[in-house]
């Protein structure tokens, strides 16, 4: 038999038969060389066709306990309380990532055995994200970790597992670079860890949605007019989100975290899809429509650049760089064009009746012109009854 690569069961059986025939061949002879080569080919085929499975994690733990003379109580530093040790060893509780990391580090049990996945390693998204500094108590309070019903202390102990719930799949690793290419508009000192946690939350919500691919060319003047005129309807904020989702723009509403001072953000997801995230920090229609248009300006004009992945906006801060000023101008012109605004002369005669008539003429909510007058005059006591207080959050589950 001429030795050849074993590709199937038939080749394998033929090789075994030939090995039996020449098993006693002397080394250095032609048959001895053939025996050596066939043995290598059979070994290679068996490794691929009949791999030896990894041992069961509990078997591995018990084996290491026997090797090192450990008792169940000695596992408490790795598994937690005595009750958790008992539950794990009896098979009533699975291993968390935190337990696996401690067992791998402290007892030297290979991660691939504990994870039941050949070649697996314990790369930590938590470490990369600085998740240990996140506002965990607030995240638990808001139910950001699906299915978790424990205490804040338990959340900290099992942070890696909980982050996997927040960021299913590879979302966490894929989102990490975003924090190196971000712009923050705020005069206040922003808590970077709270901002990062909020970013991950809104991104995780967006990743649950399936939207059509986004094309910037679809954001036409006609679409922008349709968007703004939705403000004329009672359900306008909810319909605006639906309209943008139809063209591939994710729109998520999530309250800001303490220390972030956010009105909204424009983000790029790992897939390249744009995300507009709103906090509704100010529950007013004028603020909603301006913030939405402002972040849409970032999507259209700035998120197309490879070097930018995120804008976070505190729109109470009037100091702005060139890109923020451009997004401000986009929002103003989208809501009411400069020519239309100047011709209306509302700034010179800002009466309630004039504001209402102007809004009716444009088929927009009065909050839009009322909010603009307040901003331009720097007088936020004007038209308090027209800017739509407490008329936004009621449309969203926040």
């Amino acid at each position: 038999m001429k030795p050849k690569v074993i590709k199937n069961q038939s080749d394998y059986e033929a090789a075994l038969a030939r090995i039996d025939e020449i098993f006693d061949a002397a080394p250095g002879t032609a048959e001895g060389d053939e025996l050596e080569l066939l043995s290598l080919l059979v070994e290679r085929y068996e490794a691929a066709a009949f791999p030896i499975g990894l041992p069961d994690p509990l078997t591995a733990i018990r084996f290491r306990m026997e090797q090192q003379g450990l008792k169940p109580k000695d596992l408490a530093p790795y598994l937690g309380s005595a009750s958790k040790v008992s539950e794990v060893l009896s098979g009533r509780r699975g291993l968390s990532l935190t337990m696996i990391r401690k067992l791998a580090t402290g007892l030297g049990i290979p991660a691939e055995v504990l994870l039941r996945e050949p070649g697996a390693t314990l790369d930590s998204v938590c470490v990369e994200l600085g998740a240990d500094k996140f506002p965990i108590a607030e995240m638990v309070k808001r139910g950001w970790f699906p299915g978790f019903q424990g205490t804040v202390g338990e959340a900290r102990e099992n942070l890696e597992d909980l982050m996997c719930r927040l960021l299913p799949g590879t979302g966490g690793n894929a989102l990490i670079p975003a924090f190196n290419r971000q712009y923050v508009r705020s005069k206040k000192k922003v808590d970077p860890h709270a901002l990062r946690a909020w970013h991950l939350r809104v991104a995780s919500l967006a990743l649950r949605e399936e939207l059509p691919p986004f094309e910037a060319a679809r954001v036409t003047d006609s679409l922008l007019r349709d968007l703004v005129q939705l403000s004329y309807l009672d359900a306008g904020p909810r319909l605006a989100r639906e309209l943008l989702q139809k063209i591939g723009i994710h729109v998520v509403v999530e309250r800001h975290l303490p220390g972030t001072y956010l009105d909204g953000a424009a983000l790029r997801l790992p897939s390249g899809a744009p995300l507009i995230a709103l906090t509704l920090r100010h529950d007013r229609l004028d603020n909603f429509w301006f913030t939405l248009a402002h972040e849409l300006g970032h999507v259209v004009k700035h998120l197309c650049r490879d070097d930018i992945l995120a804008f976070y906006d505190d729109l109470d801060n009037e100091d702005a760089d060139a890109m923020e000023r451009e997004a401000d101008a986009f929002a103003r012109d989208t809501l009411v064009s400069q020519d239309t605004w100047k011709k209306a002369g509302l700034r010179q005669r800002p009466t309630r009746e004039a504001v209402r008539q102007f809004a009716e003429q444009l088929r927009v909510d009065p909050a839009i012109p009322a909010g603009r007058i307040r901003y331009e005059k720097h007088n936020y006591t004007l038209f308090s009854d027209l800017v739509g207080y407490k008329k936004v959050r009621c449309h969203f589950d926040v």
Side-chain angles (χ1 to χ4, degrees):
M1 174 182 176
K2 184 178 180 181
K4 63 178 182 178
V5 174
I6 300 173
K7 299 180 179 180
N8 50 49
Q9 184 68 18
S10 178
D11 292 345
Y12 174 64
E13 291 175 356
L16 290 178
R18 178 57 179 164
I19 288 175
D20 283 342
E21 291 178 6
I22 60 174
F23 188 77
D24 295 325
T29 63
E31 286 189 340
D33 293 340
E34 181 185 355
L35 176 62
E36 184 178 1
L37 180 55
L38 282 173
S39 299
L40 291 173
L41 292 172
V42 166
E43 182 179 343
R44 175 183 170 186
Y45 179 78
E46 288 177 340
F50 317 114
I52 299 174
L54 294 171
D56 177 83
L58 285 183
T59 301
I61 292 172
R62 292 186 182 282
F63 177 72
R64 191 52 51 91
M65 291 174 67
E66 183 180 344
Q67 277 188 319
Q68 299 185 11
L70 301 176
K71 297 180 179 180
K73 66 178 182 179
D74 298 320
L75 296 185
Y78 311 107
L79 302 181
S81 63
S83 61
K84 288 182 180 178
V85 172
S86 175
E87 289 173 352
V88 168
L89 292 180
S90 66
R92 297 195 309 273
R93 176 190 286 265
L95 294 172
S96 70
L97 285 173
T98 303
M99 293 175 181
I100 288 172
R101 185 175 297 282
K102 290 181 178 179
L103 288 168
T105 302
L107 296 184
I109 302 174
E112 63 175 355
V113 172
L114 298 171
L115 291 168
R116 299 185 180 186
E117 183 178 341
T121 59
L122 281 168
D123 296 328
S124 177
V125 172
C126 283
V127 172
E128 293 290 337
L129 294 175
D132 60 316
K133 297 180 181 178
F134 282 5
I136 303 299
E138 184 67 18
M139 296 168 75
V140 170
K141 179 182 176 182
R142 295 192 186 187
W144 283 13
F145 303 119
F148 179 71
Q149 301 293 329
T151 66
V152 174
E154 290 171 334
R156 294 188 183 281
E157 290 178 3
N158 298 281
L159 191 54
E160 284 193 81
D161 298 84
L162 295 181
M163 289 301 295
C164 286
R165 298 188 196 184
L166 179 64
L167 298 165
T170 59
N173 286 317
L175 286 168
I176 289 170
F179 303 114
N180 300 322
R181 291 181 274 172
Q182 63 184 14
Y183 288 78
V184 180
R185 173 178 177 171
S186 182
K187 270 189 174 181
K188 303 179 180 71
K189 185 177 181 180
V190 173
D191 180 345
H193 305 292
L195 189 64
R196 181 169 292 192
W198 182 85
H199 176 128
L200 295 174
R201 167 63 174 176
V202 297
S204 70
L205 293 175
L207 289 170
R208 299 175 190 176
E209 303 174 332
E210 290 188 15
L211 301 185
F214 171 69
E215 296 178 6
R218 298 189 66 181
V219 185
T220 62
D221 290 342
S222 175
L223 181 133
L224 292 175
R225 283 195 300 272
D226 291 343
L227 179 69
V228 176
Q229 287 189 331
L230 289 175
S231 69
Y232 190 69
L233 305 175
D234 290 342
R238 188 172 67 254
L239 294 173
R241 176 170 67 174
E242 184 177 344
L243 176 61
L244 292 177
Q245 289 174 328
K246 292 288 188 183
I247 64 169
I249 299 176
H250 296 269
V251 181
V252 169
V253 177
E254 179 64 56
R255 286 181 298 139
H256 72 292
L257 286 168
T260 59
Y261 313 103
L262 277 177
D263 289 300
L267 315 170
R268 182 140 49 95
L269 296 173
S271 65
L275 162 61
I276 292 175
L278 306 174
T279 68
L280 309 186
R281 179 166 63 129
H282 303 297
D283 186 4
R284 302 193 320 265
L285 286 171
D286 66 319
N287 183 266
F288 170 83
W289 289 105
F290 186 85
T291 304
L292 181 68
H294 178 93
E295 304 308 342
L296 182 57
H298 280 316
V299 169
V300 172
K301 295 181 174 294
H302 306 134
L303 281 187
C304 54
R305 291 171 46 174
D306 290 337
D307 62 327
I308 301 174
L309 289 176
F311 291 89
Y312 306 99
D313 292 310
D314 171 4
L315 296 180
D316 289 346
N317 176 25
E318 295 185 12
D319 292 340
D321 63 15
M323 286 187 291
E324 289 297 330
R325 291 195 298 272
E326 192 173 14
D328 283 341
F330 178 92
R332 286 193 299 269
D333 289 343
T334 293
L335 296 175
V336 180
S337 72
Q338 280 289 88
D339 288 343
T340 301
W341 187 248
K342 288 180 179 178
K343 289 177 182 177
L346 284 180
R347 185 172 181 180
Q348 289 71 41
R349 51 181 185 86
T351 66
R352 283 176 174 75
E353 186 58 29
V355 169
R356 290 185 185 279
Q357 288 181 357
F358 178 78
E360 187 66 29
Q361 178 186 351
L362 295 185
R363 289 290 190 271
V364 300
D365 193 283
I368 290 176
R372 184 157 177 172
I373 292 171
R374 284 157 56 102
Y375 172 79
E376 291 185 352
K377 287 186 168 293
H378 296 280
N379 184 348
Y380 295 97
T381 64
L382 292 172
F383 307 130
S384 295
D385 58 330
L386 295 181
V387 292
Y389 277 106
K390 297 185 178 180
K391 291 188 176 180
V392 184
R393 290 180 190 163
C394 58
H395 294 286
F396 304 99
D397 186 19
V398 294

